Amino acid sequence: MPARQPSKPRARRPRSEARPYHHGDLRRVLIDAALQLAEEGAEVSVREAARRAAVSPGAPFRHFPNRDALMAAVAAEAQRRFRTEIEAALDEAPAADPLLRFRAFGLAYLRWAMRNPAHFEIISTGRYFARGSSPELTRDNAELIALTEQMLSGAAAQGLLRSADLKRIQIAGRALVYGFARMNLDGHFPRWGVGEGEIERTAEEVIDLFITGIARR
Amino acid sequence: MPARQPSKPRARRPRSEARPYHHGDLRRVLIDAALQLAEEGAEVSVREAARRAAVSPGAPFRHFPNRDALMAAVAAEAQRRFRTEIEAALDEAPAADPLLRFRAFGLAYLRWAMRNPAHFEIISTGRYFARGSSPELTRDNAELIALTEQMLSGAAAQGLLRSADLKRIQIAGRALVYGFARMNLDGHFPRWGVGEGEIERTAEEVIDLFITGIARR
DNA sequence: CCTAAAATGTAATCGATGATTACATAATGG
DNA sequence: CCATTATGTAATCATCGATTACATTTTAGG
């Protein structure tokens, strides 16, 4: 790409007094508005996102062919944040013990899901946009799954596991964690203890129960 | 209630040739239409249900105050079918072994969820109507949960369990099964083996893995 | 029976939404 | 400097949930 002056502050040339006809980076602003809408528990509508961006109802369609595409972009952003947090947790986990890393993975997963329920929902449900509509998200998710497979085969190599059927263990582990996150999302934890701490502690216990179940002893 | 002739076939008195002004049992027909819509993968709209009942768009609101109420009724019906199948499976399970009954419960649960994904979604998600909007469904679900608690405490009494923390085991079990069902629903099983048999076999394996994990050996 | 009230359906309409089209304005590059 | 492209606006459409006024049928009480 040809080098260009990178600093020019977006042609700040007000026509008379108002904001410029062209928005700075509408695509980005729309995604952020949609993320915020979801976070607030409101249903994400294209029009409301446009409203928050102080732009006409038709403007978003210059950046996204339809609502699904916007939602896919929102999901991609949420997934990016999700992954960032998982990897940060793994960086702090002991490098040598695969089962402890597996545990840290599950904890970080549930912790994020508990604290960002709306975003987790958009990422996971596949009801907000056609599957395959966001290859970025699909690839990213596949990489996380591959990570868990590596941990499990590492654990098996060290003789830490009771069963050799890693595929089965992996699916069960995914189902357990995914199910816990979705139960929280879908209102199956009827106002538990005091605050969020209670539910996160339960998440930890459930993960430990699972790991104890698959570990050789 | 006063006894009345029960057989009169709904006052079949056509005004001239057309169907009667009053529908036979519109409420029931609307619920069935909505169930069918969900089953077909379409999104359930009040208007479409009205269309299928050959009735005006406003008619459904004589029977349901709003869309949520219709969805709640649909969920109640689906839950009734769900529960019927679970209880049938338990009737055929051995009465003496709590863990085998627990297994049969999980299998029936997942089997139904795999074969009626749209209905399971409506039952479980709580996104289609306000929580508490269908006390019938809530109570029914609570009873099923109580069933699993009885099985687990029975298993503990017979010394079949490794841990005494039944609450933890129960939540983990629920999360596992719920998660598996939702993974299927949310498209996280990318076109597995040949048909449905493959995924139901995997469900069985996962349940067995869990039960083996919590059982004393 | 008969008739008034209640139940149930229709027609018309409203506001919100996703989406499309024609048009306006700004940014960019030859 | 100007033409092409990118980006935003305005107007419009169909669909949906919901409400209201009105029509018809059923039902119950005298």
Side-chain angles (χ1 to χ4, degrees):
Chain A
M1 65 185 90
R4 306 188 48 241
Q5 305 118 322
S7 54
K8 210 82 157 281
R10 278 295 167 193
R12 196 88 175 86
R13 206 173 335 179
R15 283 169 303 184
S16 57
E17 185 72 27
R19 75 194 132 77
Y21 186 91
H22 277 193
H23 202 288
D25 185 357
L26 183 53
R27 181 188 161 86
R28 180 70 220 174
V29 172
L30 287 171
I31 292 176
D32 287 341
L35 277 166
Q36 198 179 349
L37 273 175
E39 204 166 348
E40 292 167 6
E43 65 178 330
V44 180
S45 80
V46 177
R47 291 178 103 97
E48 181 61 28
R51 236 170 261 129
R52 299 213 173 179
V55 102
S56 79
F61 293 92
R62 292 287 176 194
H63 299 269
F64 305 96
N66 49 44
R67 180 180 184 275
D68 277 18
L70 169 59
M71 295 309 292
V74 168
E77 171 61 19
Q79 170 83 11
R80 196 187 57 74
R81 299 184 188 178
F82 178 55
R83 178 176 180 150
T84 297
E85 193 148 316
I86 298 258
E87 289 177 341
L90 284 184
D91 282 347
E92 295 183 5
D97 188 332
L99 274 190
L100 274 184
R101 291 182 70 77
F102 193 72
R103 180 178 188 276
F105 184 101
L107 278 180
Y109 183 115
L110 282 187
R111 193 178 140 104
W112 193 85
M114 300 295 116
R115 299 188 179 184
N116 306 276
H119 294 172
F120 183 81
E121 152 113 6
I122 293 177
I123 286 181
S124 61
T125 290
R127 171 172 32 260
Y128 298 106
F129 48 91
R131 32 176 179 276
S133 171
S134 175
E136 181 184 358
L137 187 150
T138 303
R139 176 186 47 74
D140 200 291
N141 201 39
E143 288 178 12
L144 286 184
I145 292 176
L147 253 183
T148 69
E149 286 171 348
Q150 293 170 21
M151 297 181 215
L152 283 181
S153 56
Q158 295 188 22
L160 298 176
L161 297 183
R162 180 172 48 77
S163 160
D165 191 343
L166 300 189
K167 194 63 189 167
R168 195 182 307 186
I169 294 176
Q170 201 236 10
I171 291 181
R174 280 175 69 192
L176 181 82
V177 174
Y178 188 68
F180 195 93
R182 287 225 63 98
M183 282 178 71
N184 178 56
L185 226 64
D186 296 342
H188 286 101
F189 289 150
R191 283 306 141 251
W192 248 351
V194 193
E196 298 185 348
E198 177 71 17
I199 193 173
E200 290 187 13
R201 197 163 344 115
T202 302
E204 185 173 350
E205 293 176 353
V206 163
I207 289 177
D208 284 337
L209 176 71
F210 179 77
I211 292 184
T212 305
I214 64 172
R216 158 165 293 151
R217 55 217 103 144
Chain B
M1 61 187 91
R4 307 188 47 243
Q5 304 117 324
S7 54
K8 210 83 158 282
R10 278 295 169 194
R12 197 86 177 85
R13 206 173 338 181
R15 285 168 304 183
S16 56
E17 184 72 25
R19 73 193 132 78
Y21 186 91
H22 275 192
H23 202 288
D25 185 357
L26 183 53
R27 182 188 159 87
R28 180 69 218 174
V29 171
L30 287 171
I31 293 176
D32 287 341
L35 276 166
Q36 198 179 350
L37 273 175
E39 204 167 347
E40 292 168 5
E43 65 176 329
V44 180
S45 82
V46 178
R47 291 178 103 96
E48 182 60 26
R51 237 171 259 129
R52 298 212 174 181
V55 103
S56 80
F61 293 93
R62 291 289 177 193
H63 298 269
F64 305 96
N66 50 43
R67 181 180 184 274
D68 278 17
L70 170 59
M71 296 308 292
V74 168
E77 170 60 20
Q79 171 83 10
R80 196 188 57 73
R81 301 183 185 178
F82 178 56
R83 178 175 179 151
T84 297
E85 193 148 317
I86 299 257
E87 288 176 342
L90 283 183
D91 282 347
E92 296 184 4
D97 188 332
L99 274 190
L100 275 184
R101 292 182 69 77
F102 193 72
R103 181 179 187 275
F105 184 102
L107 278 181
Y109 183 116
L110 282 187
R111 193 178 138 104
W112 193 85
M114 299 295 115
R115 299 186 179 185
N116 307 275
H119 294 172
F120 183 82
E121 153 114 6
I122 293 177
I123 286 180
S124 62
T125 289
R127 170 171 35 260
Y128 298 105
F129 49 93
R131 31 176 178 274
S133 172
S134 175
E136 181 185 357
L137 187 150
T138 303
R139 175 186 48 74
D140 200 291
N141 202 39
E143 289 178 11
L144 285 183
I145 292 177
L147 254 183
T148 69
E149 286 171 349
Q150 293 170 18
M151 298 182 217
L152 283 181
S153 55
Q158 295 188 23
L160 298 175
L161 297 183
R162 180 171 48 76
S163 161
D165 190 343
L166 299 189
K167 195 65 191 165
R168 195 183 305 187
I169 294 176
Q170 202 237 9
I171 291 180
R174 281 175 68 192
L176 182 82
V177 174
Y178 189 68
F180 196 94
R182 285 224 63 96
M183 282 178 71
N184 179 55
L185 226 65
D186 296 342
H188 288 174
F189 290 149
R191 284 304 143 256
W192 249 352
V194 193
E196 299 185 348
E198 177 72 18
I199 195 172
E200 289 188 14
R201 197 165 341 120
T202 302
E204 186 174 350
E205 293 176 352
V206 163
I207 290 177
D208 284 336
L209 177 70
F210 179 76
I211 292 185
T212 305
I214 63 172
R216 158 164 295 151
R217 55 218 104 144

